[in-house]
Amino acid sequence: MSSDVSNRRLLDILTVLKRHHLSRGMTPQKLKEILEDLGPTYVKLGQIMSMRSDMLPEAYCTELKKLRTEVKPLDFSLVKEVVEQELCRPLESVFSEIQPDPLGSASIAQVHLAVLADGGRVVIKVQRPHIRETMENDIHLLKKAAKIMKIAMGTGDLIDFHTILDELWKTSQEEMDFIREADNLVRFYEHQQDIAYVTCPQVLTEFTTPRLLTMTYIDGIQIDHIDALRKAGYDMTEIGEKAAENYCKQILEDGFFHADPHPGNLWIVGGKIAWLDLGMTGHLSEHYKQLLRKAITALLMHDIYTLKNVLLTLGEPKDRINHARLYTDVDDIVSRYMTLDFGEMRLGDLIEKLLDLVKKHKIAISPDITLLGRSMITMEGTLAACSPEVNMLSILSMHMSSMIYDHFNWKKELIHRGRTAYASLDKSMEIPSQLSDLLNITKNGQTKLNMELTDADDFMKTFRQSVGYLVLGIVSSALFLGAVLLCMTELRPLIFGIPWISFIGFVLSGLIIVYLLYRILFRPKY
């Protein structure tokens, strides 16, 4: 884009920020309103930001989830122009009809119902013209203003704008590549083709390009339209249980899951659950799938030690880990949920608290895991909207039990346990010789004891601070007493009837006392 266009866009952004009184600080509600006023590009950025609780505080993520999904639709002449550019042929040679009014209009693309020349009904997803350039320019401007925004918003190190913007641009580029979304649809279909009650749109590859996605039309009922579904003869409890069961399969078995399963993306058609809009998906490696299974098992077994170790394995500590405090914090969170009846446990609340916990302990979690956490929270919200009596954690537990039963291999397990028992016996044979070596070392005075004091740094900081306060208190007392003694002499000149040096002593003593009171009463929090 030209510098004039960039300058105009920057002026628009500054006008919006000024209108919302950014200099007075930032709140979740204000950020949501600012993004809405800045236009479709920023709405999309806000929607992506809402999925990244590892970068933003939970209050901001919760508020940004409320951003509207519908934006002003494109003029149909522009839609026609994009379709013809992508297919390199007249629109009429491919489609006998395209409905001018879109089925939905979002920040990156909009969707239209169309009919192929052979009479087949399809849906076409058309990317907005110049959306990539517009978004790239906006992010470039935001990066330039990142430092100013941090100061003006008063967020300090609360929000790392550069990291967020880099992640948003990466995610947005992936969503703007419709070939990638088409691959997601194909892969999802392959994973679910043996599940009788699950379906998804089929891609028409010959009419699909990076800016145009053509897929089969699914005419159904949205999963949270309860009255319409019941009128059609559906059992809402069965729908909720099957949707949850299939979602568990996606994350625990397939390692490929729908990352935004809100009600608008799940429809019921012909007795099947149709998963729509796979522009945002998550991928879990075999390593992460095993860790996830271990975490769920540890949670259900109330195995705090294993759960703590899984959290450490899932992420990368950015600072020295206080293991005792981490263990206690995990125990506090899990114990609070173990007091509830199983049907009352809410997986979403638990995940949010665990995500907050890893941020508190400065553990950087993989984006795939964070995306999974937000996706699970969204899925639980969808279940609450259509089948409130269905419990996500209960379905997850049953699916885990079924997996263990189906994949349990007695022969393999016996061999594994036998090897473990042999290794333990072999090591136990070395204990007497090790004990003898320890006694000899101790007898010769060569024993060393390595200890790690929990919170030692905080303790030393508090200790030094207390000693400093004590020294200042002693100095203040000495100045005061010295000034009192000098008042009994004939020193001249006098200030307010007392010797000048006594006056200085009283002033210095008073200043030190005021400083100590300020530091004690308004001590900064570390």
Side-chain angles (χ1 to χ4, degrees), residues 247-263:
Y247 181 77
C248 290
K249 174 186 179 296
Q250 293 174 32
I251 62 175
L252 294 175
E253 298 182 42
D254 303 337
F256 178 73
F257 59 93
H258 197 302
D260 192 20
H262 63 75

Side-chain angles (χ1 to χ4, degrees), residues 1 5-6 9 132-141:
M1 284 191 179
V5 174
S6 295
R9 183 56 176 154
R132 180 182 291 271
E133 294 84 352
T134 301
M135 189 173 285
E136 185 175 15
N137 185 60
D138 283 345
I139 289 177
H140 181 67
L141 290 173

Side-chain angles (χ1 to χ4, degrees), residues 68 84 126 151 193 211 275 357 409 460 477:
R68 67 180 188 270
E84 290 182 338
V126 184
I151 296 170
Q193 60 183 342
R211 295 200 304 153
W275 296 77
L357 178 65
N409 187 317
M460 289 304 298
S477 301

Side-chain angles (χ1 to χ4, degrees), residues 288-482:
Y288 280 145
K289 284 193 290 181
Q290 290 178 1
L291 286 176
L292 182 60
R293 294 168 196 155
K294 187 181 289 187
I296 295 168
T297 303
L299 178 64
L300 297 173
M301 301 279 294
H302 201 176
D303 185 350
I304 307 302
Y305 182 77
T306 299
L307 186 57
K308 180 196 77 110
N309 287 337
V310 170
L311 288 176
L312 289 174
T313 308
L314 284 172
E316 179 185 351
K318 294 299 182 182
D319 204 349
R320 186 177 180 182
I321 294 293
N322 185 327
H323 291 275
R325 183 178 294 176
L326 177 59
Y327 183 92
T328 302
D329 289 345
V330 173
D331 188 36
D332 287 344
I333 292 173
V334 176
S335 296
R336 200 176 308 149
Y337 281 86
M338 290 300 110
T339 59
L340 301 173
D341 292 334
F342 200 76
E344 295 177 355
M345 293 183 191
R346 286 291 169 258
L347 186 62
D349 293 339
L350 180 59
I351 290 172
E352 286 183 353
K353 286 182 171 55
L354 289 174
L355 288 174
D356 285 340
L357 178 65
V358 297
K359 279 193 294 185
K360 172 185 172 183
H361 287 271
K362 298 180 181 179
I363 302 172
I365 297 293
S366 162
D368 288 328
I369 299 300
T370 306
L371 190 63
L372 171 63
R374 301 306 306 177
S375 174
M376 293 175 80
I377 293 169
T378 304
M379 187 64 202
E380 190 171 59
T382 298
L383 293 176
C386 69
S387 308
E389 68 282 1
V390 176
N391 183 272
M392 183 72 184
L393 195 56
S394 176
I395 300 291
L396 204 56
S397 172
M398 287 190 292
H399 192 93
M400 280 285 297
S401 300
S402 176
M403 282 181 61
I404 292 171
Y405 178 80
D406 291 341
H407 296 93
F408 192 80
N409 187 317
W410 282 104
K411 183 179 179 180
K412 186 177 179 181
E413 190 67 19
L414 286 172
I415 293 173
H416 174 69
R417 295 300 176 187
R419 286 175 178 170
T420 303
Y422 175 77
S424 299
L425 181 63
D426 186 49
K427 288 182 179 180
S428 68
M429 298 296 290
E430 299 176 6
I431 292 177
S433 61
Q434 291 174 348
L435 185 59
S436 175
D437 291 342
L438 177 62
L439 290 173
N440 285 327
I441 292 172
T442 305
K443 182 181 68 175
N444 296 329
Q446 297 174 325
T447 306
K448 291 183 180 180
L449 183 62
N450 294 323
M451 296 180 64
E452 180 179 338
L453 294 175
T454 304
D455 295 335
D457 292 340
D458 292 342
F459 172 77
M460 289 304 298
K461 186 184 293 182
T462 304
F463 177 74
R464 293 192 195 98
Q465 194 176 63
S466 300
V467 170
Y469 291 164
L470 178 62
V471 170
L472 284 174
I474 293 172
V475 171
S476 176
S477 301
L479 286 170
F480 182 80
L481 290 173

Side-chain angles (χ1 to χ4, degrees), residues 48 108 132 135-136 166-178 180:
I48 298 171
I108 286 180
R132 180 182 291 271
M135 189 173 285
E136 185 175 15
D166 286 340
E167 183 64 28
L168 295 181
W169 179 231
K170 176 187 173 185
T171 307
S172 298
Q173 284 180 300
E174 290 175 353
E175 285 204 54
M176 285 185 282
D177 183 3
F178 290 172
R180 182 179 177 277

